[in-house]
Amino acid sequence: MKKKITFLIFTVLAVLCVVYSGMVLATGSGTSFFLVWIGLAVLFFLFGYSIWKSFWKKVPRLVKGICIAVVAVGFTAFFIVEGCIISQMHEKGEAGLDYIIVLGAQVRKSGPSAALKYRLDEAVEYLEDNPKTICIVSGGQGANEPYSEAEGMAQYLKEQGIDASRILLEDKSLNTEQNMEYSKALIKDGASVGIITNDFHLFRAKQIARKYGLDNVCGIAAKSTPVYLPNNMLREFLAEIKFLL
C-alpha cells in the first residue's frame, strides 16, 4: 500500500509539472525552458514507478550511495543559490544615480511583455524621483519580436512622460552579458549605475555587471508575475551555475 501511495504522489507531481510546462509555453516567451518541466515530470514518474515495482531495492548499494550523494549536493547548491537570489529580490538601489540600465525582455506588437512592463514601470518611478538620471534601455531584436527591445522600451518610457533626451538606446544585445558589455560603452567612467530587472534576475545581473567593469553598481528590483516565479527561480539557478562554471 505504501508503495502505491508513493507512486501516486510522484505521479501527481509529474502531472503538475506537465501542466505547468504548458502554462510556461503559453507565455510565448520564445524559449524552450518549458522542456525542463517535462523532464522533471518524467523523472518524478520513473522514480515513483521504480519504488512501486521495487526496482530501487535491486540497485547496488554503491550506485545508491552515489545517486544519494549527487542529489544531496544538488539540493545543497540549489538552496544556497536560491538564498542568494532571494536576498536581492527587494533591493531598491540608491537615489541620484548617474545612470540606470533597464534590461530588455520580450516585446510584442501590442507592447512590452508583462516581465518587461514591470521593469519599465520601476524605471519610470525612479526617473521621476531622480530627474538628473539618464536611462539606458538595453536589448536587441529577437527572432519572435517585431522590433528591438530597446526601441519598444524607449517608446513606452516616452509614452509615460520621460523626455527622450534622458533615454539612450542599446539595441544590439541578445543576452544579459551583452546587455552589460554594450551598455558600458554608453557610460562615463566612474559613473554610478543602477540595474533594473525583475527581482529573480537581479542577483545574477549584478554579478555580470561587475564582470564587465561596472563596479559602482547597485540593483533596483522590479516585480515579477507570481505564478511564473517557480519557473524563473529554477531557470536562474541553472543560469547561475552556468555563469559560475
Side-chain angles (χ1 to χ4, degrees):
M1 177 64 90
K2 289 183 179 179
K3 292 180 181 180
K4 288 185 177 180
I5 292 175
T6 301
F7 174 63
L8 179 61
I9 290 171
F10 278 95
T11 299
V12 170
L13 289 173
V15 171
L16 290 174
C17 284
V18 171
V19 172
Y20 192 65
S21 72
M23 294 171 60
V24 173
L25 177 61
T27 63
S29 64
T31 73
S32 57
F33 195 78
F34 71 94
L35 293 174
V36 172
W37 293 97
I38 298 292
L40 285 175
V42 172
L43 289 176
F44 280 138
F45 178 80
L46 290 178
F47 182 74
Y49 187 77
S50 70
I51 295 294
W52 184 29
K53 295 298 184 179
S54 300
F55 294 154
W56 180 249
K57 287 185 178 181
K58 300 175 184 178
V59 175
R61 183 174 297 179
L62 177 60
V63 176
K64 282 184 180 178
I66 293 173
C67 290
I68 292 171
V70 169
V71 171
V73 170
F75 270 106
T76 300
F78 179 79
F79 286 115
I80 290 174
V81 171
E82 294 298 328
C84 292
I85 292 172
I86 292 170
S87 72
Q88 303 290 303
M89 288 179 71
H90 301 288
E91 189 169 355
K92 287 302 176 184
E94 305 167 3
L97 295 168
D98 297 315
Y99 298 88
I100 56 172
I101 302 174
V102 186
L103 302 187
Q106 190 180 34
V107 293
R108 304 184 177 97
K109 289 183 179 180
S110 58
S113 61
L116 183 54
K117 190 173 183 298
Y118 283 131
R119 301 179 190 187
L120 292 169
D121 289 342
E122 193 69 34
V124 169
E125 182 176 342
Y126 187 91
L127 292 168
E128 289 177 342
D129 292 340
N130 299 272
K132 294 184 179 180
T133 301
I134 298 298
C135 179
I136 298 173
V137 287
S138 178
Q141 182 177 0
N144 61 339
E145 294 175 312
Y147 38 75
S148 74
E149 293 168 1
E151 182 182 347
M153 288 191 283
Q155 182 60 37
Y156 183 88
L157 292 177
K158 287 184 281 189
E159 290 172 356
Q160 306 307 310
I162 304 302
D163 194 281
S165 64
R166 301 178 65 194
I167 305 172
L168 301 179
L169 277 70
E170 182 289 293
D171 60 0
K172 302 300 181 185
S173 57
L174 298 176
N175 54 50
T176 305
E177 296 227 6
Q178 291 179 0
N179 285 148
M180 302 305 179
E181 181 182 4
Y182 299 162
S183 294
K184 186 177 185 295
L186 304 175
I187 296 173
K188 296 178 180 178
D189 291 340
S192 57
V193 181
I195 306 297
I196 296 185
T197 189
N198 300 105
D199 47 16
F200 59 83
H201 187 222
L202 193 57
F203 173 68
R204 185 165 59 92
K206 287 173 61 180
Q207 289 178 291
I208 296 172
R210 294 190 178 100
K211 173 183 174 180
Y212 285 94
L214 296 172
D215 298 319
N216 190 8
V217 67
C218 63
I220 302 173
K223 294 188 295 184
S224 58
T225 305
V227 70
Y228 298 115
L229 191 57
N231 181 70
N232 292 325
M233 295 292 276
L234 178 58
R235 186 177 180 182
E236 277 302 301
F237 166 70
L238 297 176
E240 177 67 16
I241 297 301
K242 179 181 178 181
F243 173 76
L244 294 175
L245 295 177

